[in-house]
Amino acid sequence: MKMDYASELDFQFILEHDRHLPKQLIKNKLNGKEIIIVKNEENRRIGWLRYNYFWDHTPFLNMIFLQENKRNKGIGTELLRFWETEMKNKGYEFVMTSSLSDEQAQHFYRKLGYKDSGSLLLENEALEIIFTKKLSK
């Protein structure tokens, strides 16, 4: 697998698979280096990781996307660890993410050392579980 910050060349792939962000925000995140693209051995795009900063200074993982046939093969773990290393190299001591309580992702994050750190309950939504992880030195 090859992982690197996404560029304009990755825009269409991300746009096709990210139903949560409008075009301009995807472009802004590409320019801000807040999307990491993952490619397979044939250099084909198979997924991405998107993040931002909680309180403007704590890396917060918003979403990991992998094509359906690439899931449950360790690629998500590899992608998450790549991001954690990038954040550590930038000087951050911990990172955050979240998952709805009715999603399987919560188990994925706990398995990788993320700790339950709170929750958010919005009207007509499942409980949003907040996770944090201290990055090792």
Side-chain angles (χ1 to χ4, degrees), residues 17-18 20 48-51 61-65 97 109:
H17 297 286
D18 193 339
H20 301 281
W48 45 262
L49 177 151
R50 176 168 47 80
Y51 71 99
L61 169 62
N62 290 318
M63 180 173 275
I64 293 179
F65 168 81
T97 193
Y109 295 123

Side-chain angles (χ1 to χ4, degrees), residues 69-112:
N69 65 343
K70 301 300 181 188
R71 296 176 188 171
N72 298 309
K73 297 179 188 228
I75 299 167
T77 299
E78 195 176 333
L79 182 54
L80 184 62
R81 289 199 171 126
F82 178 87
W83 176 70
E84 290 173 355
T85 300
E86 287 292 302
M87 297 304 100
K88 181 179 158 186
N89 290 342
K90 290 181 179 190
Y92 295 102
E93 295 180 11
F94 70 94
V95 293
M96 299 176 68
T97 193
S98 68
S99 172
L100 291 173
S101 60
D102 60 358
E103 293 178 333
Q104 290 298 312
Q106 63 178 301
H107 307 297
F108 171 74
Y109 295 123
R110 287 184 187 115
K111 184 175 81 173
L112 294 173

